[in-house]
């Protein structure tokens, strides 16, 4: 079992950011304490060398904390290696949680008339129609129903991440495995590259530029874009493989979905070439605080701090259910998906029981950002540990605790 080493006194590795009085968010101090206790218990498992957690309740930041080390205390690190404390300001690569950011950009461009979700991908990338892919729509890609879930290994080769010509050529050469719209199969990396190129063709700008100009800059975000500048690479928390080694069939399934073995992907994500890349499905770098703000923007119908980024109807359309607990042929378990977001449910939900209106996205493997309109919550739990088991199971248990401590608000107070 690969674990990080726990300090004797946990208070030595806990950092606090600005927090409001819990009462201003409609919670009690005891409720917040129990939520934080669940996060600390998560850290005690040793599966998460660093954890960041930020929770907003009705727009008030009631928890904004970090625990552990951004680097130097992973399972493979020697004891004498310098340890860097994680703080609420430490940026992390959020992996697949990036998909929610990418989906938001696409829906915003739909609102602006630059593209339409129902358009065919080939309307923007004519060469993409090869091998019977002419009927695939942008909506199919967003909802993981395009039938092109798998990608060649060369697309995640670190030396190829910046080669737009190669990426487009490879996407166009891909052959679908089924009819578009017929089955759900999580597009781990491929969908992001397709959407990124559609955005580029529709606007003449990279998706990184569009995200910065249309969302991040108006809201004053420091991070939350695809990759970071060269001067910021050293600031990003290091990702670590934790937990027991994965065995077939799980390891085989992950390799097929990711394009490379999961351990190799984790190591590659620490490389400057990855941390400076535009991988729309996986390379956003952010903090739990900024992610909670991003989802607060969506919870409030596209308005944050008096800045109207998008219209409420755009957010509602983005959250419209496209699949109801269909068994996903890539993930192997049932999931509710909208056009770009993982949705909550009455029972089987990432966000705890009775969270049918909640939405968000997981990130490989112990990262989750979400909003729950019924509880006026927006939050993010970010981890540097990459453990499928028991890490992900413990994260979901923590989410259940959060949902249990935050009561539902009156229906009139729900923005969406």
């Amino acid at each position: 079992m690969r674990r990080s080493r726990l300090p004797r006194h946990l208070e030595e590795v806990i950092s606090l950011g600005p927090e409001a009085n819990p009462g201003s968010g409609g919670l009690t101090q005891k409720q917040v304490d129990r939520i934080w206790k669940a996060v600390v218990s998560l850290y005690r498992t040793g599966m998460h060398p660093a954890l960041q957690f930020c929770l907003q309740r009705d727009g008030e930041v009631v928890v904004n904390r970090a625990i552990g080390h951004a680097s130097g205390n992973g399972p493979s690190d020697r004891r004498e290696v310098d340890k860097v404390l994680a703080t609420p300001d430490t940026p992390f690569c959020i992996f697949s949680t990036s998909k929610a950011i990418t989906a938001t950009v696409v829906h915003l461009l739909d609102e602006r008339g630059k593209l339409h979700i129902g358009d065919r991908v080939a309307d923007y990338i004519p060469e993409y129609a090869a091998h019977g892919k002419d009927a695939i729509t942008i909506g199919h890609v967003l909802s993981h129903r395009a039938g092109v879930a798998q990608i060649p290994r060369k697309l995640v080769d670190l030396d190829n991440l910046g080669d737009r010509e190669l990426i487009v050529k490879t996407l166009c050469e891909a052959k679908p495995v089924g009819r578009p719209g017929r089955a759900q199969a999580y597009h781990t990396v491929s969908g992001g590259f397709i959407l990124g190129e559609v955005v580029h063709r529709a606007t003449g700008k990279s998706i990184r530029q569009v995200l910065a100009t249309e969302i991040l800059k108006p809201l004053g975000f420091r991070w939350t874009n695809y990759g970071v500048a060269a001067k910021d690479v050293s600031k990003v928390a290091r990702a670590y493989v934790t937990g027991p080694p994965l065995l077939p069939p799980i390891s085989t399934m992950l390799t097929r979905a990711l394009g490379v073995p999961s351990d190799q992907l984790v190591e590659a994500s620490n490389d400057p070439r990855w941390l400076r890349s535009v991988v729309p499905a996986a390379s956003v770098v952010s903090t739990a605080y900024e992610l909670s703000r991003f989802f607060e923007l969506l919870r409030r119908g596209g308005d944050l701090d008096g800045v109207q980024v998008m219209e409420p109807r755009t957010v509602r359309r983005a959250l419209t259910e496209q699949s109801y607990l269909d068994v996903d042929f890539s993930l192997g378990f049932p999931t509710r998906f909208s056009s770009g977001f993982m949705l909550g449910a009455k029972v089987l939900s990432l966000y705890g029981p009775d969270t049918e209106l909640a939405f968000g996205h997981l990130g490989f493997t112990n990262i989750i950002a979400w909003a729950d309109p019924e509880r006026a919550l927006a939050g993010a739990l970010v981890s540097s540990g990459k453990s499928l088991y028991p890490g992900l199971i413990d994260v979901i248990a923590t989410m259940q605790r959060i949902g249990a401590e935050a009561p539902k608000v009156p229906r009139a107070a729900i923005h969406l």
Side-chain angles (χ1 to χ4, degrees):
M1 181 74 77
R2 295 164 290 191
R3 302 177 186 268
S4 60
R5 292 180 291 275
L6 298 180
R8 183 171 299 178
H9 304 292
L10 290 188
E11 60 269 18
E12 296 175 356
V13 295
I14 295 176
S15 300
L16 276 63
E19 297 178 351
N21 185 297
S24 63
L27 296 177
T28 67
Q29 187 63 55
K30 287 185 177 180
Q31 286 172 321
V32 168
D33 289 345
R34 285 193 289 267
I35 289 172
W36 177 242
K37 182 179 179 181
V39 176
V40 172
S41 296
L42 199 61
Y43 176 73
R44 288 183 185 276
T45 65
M47 298 295 105
H48 314 279
L51 279 169
Q52 258 184 359
F53 178 64
C54 187
L55 185 68
Q56 299 197 33
R57 165 81 168 185
D58 200 20
E60 298 287 345
V61 178
V62 294
V63 186
N64 184 21
R65 305 175 190 178
I67 181 170
H69 295 93
S71 64
N73 193 33
S76 59
D77 290 328
R78 299 187 304 276
R79 289 184 179 273
E80 63 270 21
V81 171
D82 290 338
K83 296 175 177 57
V84 178
L85 196 66
T87 75
D89 296 323
T90 302
F92 289 70
C93 178
I94 62 170
F95 292 87
S96 282
T97 310
S98 306
K99 292 178 174 64
I101 311 293
T102 296
T104 302
V105 172
V106 174
H107 284 288
L108 179 60
L109 292 178
D110 184 299
E111 176 186 301
R112 302 278 174 83
K114 298 294 185 180
L115 54 79
H116 190 272
I117 301 300
D119 290 343
R120 300 178 311 144
V121 172
D123 292 337
Y124 301 88
I125 315 172
E127 60 271 38
Y128 189 75
H131 305 300
K133 299 194 299 298
D134 55 298
I136 295 175
T137 68
I138 296 172
H140 287 143
V141 180
L142 284 168
S143 59
H144 303 277
R145 289 180 172 273
V148 288
Q150 297 181 31
I151 60 167
R153 186 167 183 162
K154 63 183 176 182
L155 272 197
V156 288
D157 186 293
L158 290 171
D159 290 325
N160 294 334
L161 291 178
D163 191 337
R164 180 184 166 208
E165 183 178 337
L166 174 65
I167 290 171
V168 173
K169 182 175 183 290
T170 304
L171 293 173
C172 293
E173 291 175 347
K175 297 179 180 180
V177 296
R179 180 168 57 85
R182 184 174 185 179
Q184 181 178 298
Y186 187 69
H187 291 36
T188 310
V189 180
S190 60
F193 280 132
I194 295 168
L195 296 172
E197 184 61 21
V198 167
V199 169
H200 203 138
R201 303 276 179 114
T203 66
K205 301 176 182 178
S206 73
I207 193 169
R208 176 189 270 164
Q209 291 173 303
V210 175
L211 174 59
T213 302
E214 303 299 329
I215 300 177
L216 303 181
K217 288 182 180 178
L219 296 175
F221 278 52
R222 166 70 171 88
W223 306 102
T224 318
N225 211 327
Y226 307 98
V228 297
K231 63 183 178 63
D232 290 327
V233 166
S234 62
K235 297 181 176 69
V236 182
R238 186 172 184 83
Y240 291 96
V241 178
T242 57
L246 296 178
L247 301 173
I250 300 298
S251 60
T252 304
M253 180 187 72
L254 273 178
T255 299
R256 186 185 304 119
L258 298 171
V260 294
S262 58
D263 289 13
Q264 290 185 27
L265 178 64
V266 174
E267 191 55 39
S269 74
N270 294 314
D271 191 288
R273 289 170 290 180
W274 176 277
L275 293 173
R276 296 191 64 193
S277 69
V278 179
V279 182
S283 71
V284 167
V285 173
S286 188
T287 63
Y289 170 70
E290 286 201 359
L291 280 176
S292 73
R293 290 194 72 213
F294 195 95
F295 277 88
E296 178 67 6
L297 165 74
L298 299 175
R299 185 189 75 84
R300 298 184 68 87
D303 179 283
L304 184 65
D305 300 335
V307 179
Q308 189 75 43
V309 173
M310 63 185 70
E311 298 175 7
R313 65 182 181 88
T314 301
V315 180
R316 288 194 293 268
R317 181 184 61 219
L319 300 178
T320 300
E321 180 182 276
Q322 300 299 316
S323 59
Y324 180 73
L325 295 179
D326 293 2
V327 175
D328 188 288
F329 285 92
S330 294
L331 300 177
F333 58 82
T335 309
R336 282 183 74 213
F337 268 108
S338 72
S339 295
F341 297 87
M342 292 176 164
L343 303 178
K346 191 71 175 178
V347 180
L348 294 174
S349 174
L350 296 170
Y351 316 109
D354 194 20
T355 53
E356 290 180 283
L357 297 188
F359 60 92
H361 215 288
L362 281 174
F364 179 59
T365 51
N366 302 315
I367 297 170
I368 188 167
W370 82 104
D372 185 344
E374 289 186 294
R375 292 172 175 79
L377 295 178
L381 179 61
V382 179
S383 167
S384 63
K386 306 301 157 192
S387 163
L388 191 63
Y389 176 82
L392 180 57
I393 294 173
D394 292 334
V395 167
I396 293 174
T398 303
M399 293 296 297
Q400 292 175 334
R401 169 52 57 189
I402 295 168
E405 295 296 341
K408 289 185 177 182
V409 299
R411 178 163 291 275
I414 298 176
H415 291 272
L416 291 175

